[in-house]
Amino acid sequence: MKRLLLVFVFIVSFEATSQEVWIGCDINSQTTQFTPNEVLPIANKTTNEFALIFKNRKYIFGYLYDDQNRLKQTISSIAIPKKADFLIGTIYKDDTYSLYFSNTSKTKFSLVTINFKTKNFKTIERIGLDLKKEKVIDFLVDDNEINILTATKKSSILKTYQLNTDGYVGSQTFDLSHEKIMSDKGWEYNIADLIFGNPNFSSVKTIENGVPNALEKTNAFTKIYYKKGQLKLTNNLFNKYTYIINLNLKEASHSLDVFENDDYNEKFYGANSNSYIFKDYFFNIYSNNKKLNFNVYNLSSKALIKSYEIDKDQPIAFKNTPIIQEGGEFDSYRELEKTSKFLRKISGSKIGITAYENDNALIVTLGASEKRQSNKIIIGTLIGGIGVGILLSAFDSYSTTKSTRINCLFTSDFEHIPGNIPLNSFDIINHFIEEKKLQDAPLQSVFIHNDNYIWGGFSKKTGVYTLYRFK
């Protein structure tokens, strides 16, 4: 009965949402020469133009559309650098688009600059960055800017390298050697070892706030929140502390904040914890197989705003869905009845929190997850808006995560609200993909443009790459 109610709510919500073909791009003539394995949507905020660039390991071809979605220019058969294993990001200036690439080990960086108007291009096989004593944490792509964030090995020194349309232009150093980072047992760590010291917990995820991120993405022990030169790097390697490194790239300043877990108990064997930043709030989760604590703090003052607890012998009073186990090997969807089973399931996996706003309510997901194999061929992202792959990664993990979770509704004051969880944009796109049987469409992409979600996919039958806009 619960499943039927959820399906009914979904159908009503879906019918209230419309989608339309936004751009249809016939790439059939180009694909006879080579098969692309990646698509790069680029939104130019200066000219309101939109570019679609397709690439494989050797070549690029592309299409430029004006602000009315009319085809303006095309480019074809542009060779890319030899060590261009993946795209970092793109910077544009007028009619020029600079595409930055990295090799797999993130030690060599290259550049292709394309001018749609003149159809000229320039390739730089190596832009000259020497990172032998450093390790790349992540690539910071936002607001038509690219910075490479690194950590000097065995130290607490971070660096950023700024790129522009012509190449590397400068760096900044943030020395946090004077800051103390302690483990649960009182051992001192440097920042590089905090992030990369344990290979089992060294994954770094960049979070795009405001979208329905999956637990598989937000349960990473190291997360980056980056917007307009302001960076927060959080680390939850230890259960007792959450470390937050603040970097201001505009003012070249830095600081370290520490949130101590009020519920930490060294006697709780097998406990784990994680955190999430949403707006000016810091969410903390701490659990073992007997209980779970979920706390909300003011990020600036560190004052506790709200606290919730789950006990293994009690029903969960603040959940708005059943306890959902999704993505299992033999059963893709199950509902768990007992709280004790929920706590036992998540205590054996990486726990996490995710939060976003929808219909004037805050939707919070608590639980644990692990990545399962995706059947989708999803490559590409919007360049020039948010960072490379951030939204696409969020959509892919949302669609393919194996998780055990509960979803909860709260007011802006974090008071629980009864009722159904409203559908989000990822739900609606997924329903469209399933309804049209497009799960295996090549070259899928997802991005936000002018406040609308756009999903794209290629039809081998027609040779058309189609972008759909969801209103």
Side-chain angles (χ1 to χ4, degrees), residues 99-376:
L99 283 68
Y100 280 93
F101 299 89
S102 171
N103 64 342
T104 303
S105 59
K106 302 177 184 178
T107 57
K108 296 177 181 179
F109 310 101
S110 51
L111 168 66
V112 174
T113 300
I114 303 166
N115 188 298
F116 272 97
K117 187 175 183 180
T118 64
K119 298 195 176 184
N120 293 329
F121 69 95
K122 178 176 67 174
T123 300
I124 300 176
E125 288 288 343
R126 192 166 181 177
I127 63 174
L129 284 178
D130 183 8
L131 304 180
K132 290 181 180 179
K133 296 182 180 181
E134 301 165 51
K135 188 166 184 177
V136 172
I137 300 174
D138 210 348
F139 303 102
L140 311 176
V141 186
D142 181 64
D143 203 25
N144 202 32
E145 294 181 355
I146 300 176
N147 283 274
I148 303 174
L149 176 65
T150 72
T152 303
K153 297 175 182 178
K154 301 294 180 181
S155 81
S156 290
I157 297 174
L158 303 180
K159 289 185 178 180
T160 56
Y161 295 87
Q162 185 181 357
L163 309 178
N164 68 5
T165 52
D166 298 315
Y168 160 60
V169 292
S171 65
Q172 294 186 86
T173 300
F174 303 89
D175 190 346
L176 289 91
S177 302
H178 61 286
E179 302 285 2
K180 281 194 174 183
I181 297 175
M182 310 298 291
S183 72
D184 295 344
K185 297 183 181 297
W187 300 334
E188 193 164 347
Y189 274 64
N190 59 61
I191 290 175
D193 287 342
L194 182 74
I195 299 172
F196 299 115
N198 189 326
N200 294 322
F201 307 116
S202 61
S203 66
V204 178
K205 298 291 186 181
T206 297
I207 304 299
E208 173 67 12
N209 251 320
V211 303
N213 291 291
L215 291 171
E216 184 271 331
K217 191 175 180 68
T218 64
N219 69 2
F221 284 167
T222 302
K223 291 185 280 292
I224 290 175
Y225 306 82
Y226 181 70
K227 208 73 174 174
K228 298 187 182 299
Q230 303 287 330
L231 179 144
K232 291 185 182 298
L233 184 151
T234 66
N235 182 275
N236 284 96
L237 180 62
F238 311 120
N239 287 329
K240 190 175 181 180
Y241 304 105
T242 298
Y243 292 99
I244 304 177
I245 299 168
N246 305 290
L247 303 184
N248 187 324
L249 276 61
K250 303 295 185 184
E251 299 179 1
S253 62
H254 61 271
S255 63
L256 177 73
D257 288 326
V258 183
F259 273 85
E260 186 168 354
N261 184 355
D262 295 331
D263 301 300
Y264 173 76
N265 189 329
E266 62 182 5
K267 296 179 181 179
F268 284 168
Y269 178 77
N272 58 48
S273 66
N274 217 317
S275 65
Y276 190 79
I277 291 177
F278 181 76
K279 294 187 174 180
D280 195 34
Y281 301 106
F282 174 81
F283 298 165
N284 174 259
I285 186 174
Y286 179 66
S287 77
N288 55 39
N289 59 8
K290 293 183 179 179
K291 70 172 185 174
L292 179 149
N293 296 100
F294 168 49
N295 298 319
V296 181
Y297 298 85
N298 182 286
L299 182 61
S300 303
S301 69
K302 299 183 181 178
L304 178 65
I305 297 173
K306 196 71 179 178
S307 181
Y308 290 94
E309 183 173 293
I310 296 174
D311 185 277
K312 73 179 184 67
D313 296 321
Q314 301 294 327
I316 304 171
F318 59 92
K319 66 180 176 66
N320 293 74
T321 63
I323 300 170
I324 298 170
Q325 182 178 352
E326 197 166 25
E329 185 175 356
F330 301 107
D331 192 350
S332 61
Y333 181 96
R334 289 179 61 197
E335 294 179 4
L336 307 181
E337 295 296 332
K338 294 183 178 181
T339 304
S340 58
K341 199 164 187 178
F342 170 67
L343 293 175
R344 192 164 61 250
K345 286 280 186 182
I346 68 171
S347 65
S349 302
K350 290 174 66 178
I351 64 171
I353 315 168
T354 182
Y356 64 96
E357 289 179 322
N358 194 351
D359 290 346
N360 299 315
L362 181 68
I363 294 91
V364 175
T365 301
L366 306 175
S369 75
E370 56 188 83
K371 180 69 173 177
R372 64 173 176 173
Q373 184 65 37
S374 171
N375 293 322
K376 298 178 181 178

Side-chain angles (χ1 to χ4, degrees), residues 375-393:
N375 293 322
K376 298 178 181 178
I377 307 172
I378 298 187
I379 306 173
T381 184
L382 179 67
I383 313 301
I386 64 173
V388 174
I390 298 176
L391 182 60
L392 187 67
S393 173

Side-chain angles (χ1 to χ4, degrees), residues 27-36 54 61 63 443 458 463:
I27 64 173
N28 196 44
S29 60
Q30 295 282 1
T31 55
T32 58
Q33 300 177 46
F34 69 91
T35 303
F54 299 85
F61 66 89
Y63 301 81
L443 301 173
F458 176 61

